[in-house]
Amino acid sequence: MSNKVNLADFYPLIKETLDNGGTFSLTITGTSMYPFIVGNRDKVTLSPITRELKKNDLPLYRRSDGAFVLHRIVRLEKDGTYTCCGDHQWWLEKGLKREQMIGIATEYVRKGKRLTNKNLIYRFYRMTWTWVLKYRWVFFAVQRKLSGLLHKARK
């Protein structure tokens, strides 16, 4: 039996909770935020957005096709929109509007350990990982190559 639920089914509850100043925790699925968040293992706590979003923030937003996404803001555009990207990606999602933003991740449980946006190591990670955005594809290519070589060596 699967414990997975469709986030769209919980969206009204999430929205109501955040609109009333509460927080909402959920386990993340997918690989787009690797290596920071590992899908089906790590959790995030969403909080209401009470300030202007800025570079390196990690909002949950809803795409125009209805998909829910948790990606990092990598750029604030002059027209007031946001450009976001998953930590395990290098292509940019541009033109995201404030009204698409649902909540902001403020607490994380990684490998069973809790950390917040105030954690210095996490702050350094997110700043650096955003800074090297245009070079991520090189990192991932090298990672794939090394993984392939290790796999062959084990055989």
Side-chain angles (χ1 to χ4, degrees):
M1 182 165 148
S2 173
N3 290 334
K4 289 186 179 184
V5 295
N6 185 345
L7 195 55
D9 293 340
F10 278 90
Y11 177 63
L13 177 61
I14 294 169
K15 182 168 176 23
E16 180 182 349
T17 300
L18 296 176
D19 285 350
N20 289 318
T23 61
F24 198 94
S25 296
L26 51 103
T27 301
I28 299 302
T29 60
T31 60
S32 69
M33 288 304 297
Y34 180 85
F36 178 58
I37 297 172
V38 175
N40 299 314
R41 182 193 75 186
D42 298 336
K43 297 179 182 181
V44 300
T45 298
L46 299 172
S47 296
I49 301 171
T50 58
R51 59 168 174 76
E52 291 296 318
L53 292 170
K54 56 189 177 191
K55 185 176 181 178
N56 296 318
D57 281 343
L58 192 55
L60 176 71
Y61 58 92
R62 195 166 195 182
R63 290 180 175 149
S64 56
D65 67 1
F68 292 92
V69 181
L70 184 78
H71 281 173
R72 194 170 309 284
I73 295 174
V74 295
R75 194 167 48 234
L76 305 173
E77 304 299 342
K78 291 179 183 174
D79 66 358
T81 62
Y82 305 99
T83 297
C84 291
C85 186
D87 285 359
H88 198 235
Q89 300 173 332
W90 59 87
W91 59 90
L92 304 177
E93 187 167 2
K94 299 178 180 182
L96 296 164
K97 299 176 181 163
R98 173 61 180 91
E99 53 268 18
Q100 291 176 266
M101 304 297 159
I102 298 165
I104 184 170
T106 54
E107 188 175 297
Y108 316 89
V109 177
R110 294 187 70 238
K111 300 179 188 175
K113 295 182 182 173
R114 181 184 161 277
L115 68 135
T116 69
N117 289 333
K118 295 178 181 180
N119 179 284
L120 289 176
I121 294 170
Y122 171 59
R123 290 172 66 185
F124 178 76
Y125 162 82
R126 70 184 191 179
M127 180 187 69
T128 303
W129 205 236
T130 300
W131 183 69
V132 300
L133 175 63
K134 59 182 157 183
Y135 306 108
R136 284 185 195 171
W137 67 273
V138 175
F139 171 79
F140 296 132
V142 169
Q143 181 186 34
R144 275 191 308 277
K145 188 71 166 171
L146 289 174
S147 178
L149 290 172
L150 285 172
H151 182 72
K152 286 181 183 178
R154 288 183 185 144
K155 284 186 174 182

